[in-house]
Amino acid sequence: MKFRLALLALAVLPSLAGALEINVSPGGPMPSLAAARDAVRKARAGGDRSPARVIIAEGRYALTEAVVFEPQDGGVTYEAAPGAKPVFDGGKKITGWKAGADGVWTAEVEPGKTFAALWVNGRRATRARTPNEGYIQAMGQPTEPLPGHPLKGKPSTTMIQVTPADAKPIAEVSPSEWNDVNVVVLHSWSETRHRVEAVRAEDGTLQFTGGSRDFFSLEPFHRMYFEGMLSALDRPGE
């Protein structure tokens, strides 16, 4: 994932006159947010209690772990240098792409690594989705779990019903891959994402691994779509 930083303020400072100033730049003596944070902490431990400014130069800053700020880190502003647009990138580069005869590009990633977003040439790629346009219409609210799959929440948050035809794409996925499928359910102005616990194609019942919001509480017929299935990879750029 990539983030552009314009201004991050951890506190509103009454004045920056005499402030401790730290400059961050890729490849420089202060190459990261974490290094700048630690430098401020060191200055404070040495008795410097003045407000602090961390000025970040243009460039790409790789994030291998979360940068944690605590109460002791207050009284500091983090800002881009004038005209700079630094990029904080927590992603990992994937190489070794190969084009198949079917037009599908593939690459190997480290075993056990999963991700939900892929950036290609600076643009976020669309996840394989069905339907490509519009939505699937939810038809009802099941109340009984599917055989062999105990409920992991209330039926109203973990079960939903679509038509058998709409459930077919998930039903045709190997059960070992059900958990990779995302069912995105729209709740009027928001959405919830669900992983599939089980599916029964005969009546279109979908059961999820969890859920937090009741279905059908804001609208009588939910709109939804499916992501993450190889069978949905049917459009250039997905």
Side-chain angles (χ1 to χ4, degrees):
M1 297 182 180
K2 298 183 178 180
F3 305 90
R4 293 190 180 276
L5 180 72
L7 172 65
L8 171 61
L10 299 184
V12 178
L13 305 180
S15 173
L16 294 179
L20 170 66
E21 186 172 296
I22 295 174
N23 290 279
V24 178
S25 63
M30 197 67 62
S32 67
L33 284 179
R37 176 204 60 195
D38 293 344
V40 174
R41 288 180 178 179
K42 184 177 180 179
R44 296 279 169 79
D48 188 340
R49 294 288 184 257
S50 64
R53 296 177 66 199
V54 176
I55 302 173
I56 304 160
E58 181 84 18
R60 176 183 176 275
Y61 299 84
L63 299 176
T64 58
E65 60 184 9
V67 181
V68 179
F69 295 96
E70 300 176 347
Q72 62 179 310
D73 301 310
V76 185
T77 61
Y78 288 77
E79 60 189 87
K85 295 181 179 180
V87 174
F88 294 87
D89 188 352
K92 187 168 184 178
K93 191 172 184 178
I94 298 176
T95 60
W97 290 93
K98 298 177 182 178
D102 57 358
V104 175
W105 288 75
T106 61
E108 294 187 7
V109 297
E110 296 177 30
K113 295 291 185 181
T114 61
F115 56 92
L118 178 68
W119 291 73
V120 181
N121 297 328
R123 298 185 64 181
R124 186 173 183 170
T126 300
R127 298 188 71 191
R129 165 184 166 159
T130 188
N132 289 320
E133 304 290 344
Y135 304 94
I136 291 167
Q137 192 78 59
M139 305 304 295
Q141 176 65 78
T143 57
E144 296 296 325
L146 296 177
H149 297 276
L151 286 175
K152 297 179 179 177
K154 300 183 299 181
S156 60
T157 63
T158 61
M159 300 190 72
I160 205 164
Q161 186 177 30
V162 297
T163 68
D166 286 334
K168 185 178 178 181
I170 296 180
E172 292 178 343
V173 172
S174 167
S176 64
E177 298 178 63
W178 279 344
N179 198 235
D180 293 331
V181 179
N182 277 188
V183 176
V184 184
V185 182
L186 278 68
H187 300 258
S188 294
W189 59 84
S190 63
E191 67 180 36
T192 54
R193 288 179 171 268
H194 304 268
R195 296 189 182 275
V196 176
E197 168 74 22
V199 57
R200 184 166 59 202
E202 292 79 7
D203 63 358
T205 296
L206 304 179
Q207 184 172 329
F208 305 131
T209 59
S212 59
R213 175 170 292 182
D214 288 328
F215 300 127
F216 303 106
S217 61
L218 297 176
E219 53 187 60
F221 295 100
H222 277 298
R223 297 160 293 152
M224 62 176 67
Y225 59 91
F226 306 151
E227 285 186 344
M229 300 177 295
L230 186 60
S231 60
L233 188 62
D234 58 1
R235 173 176 285 192
E238 286 189 324

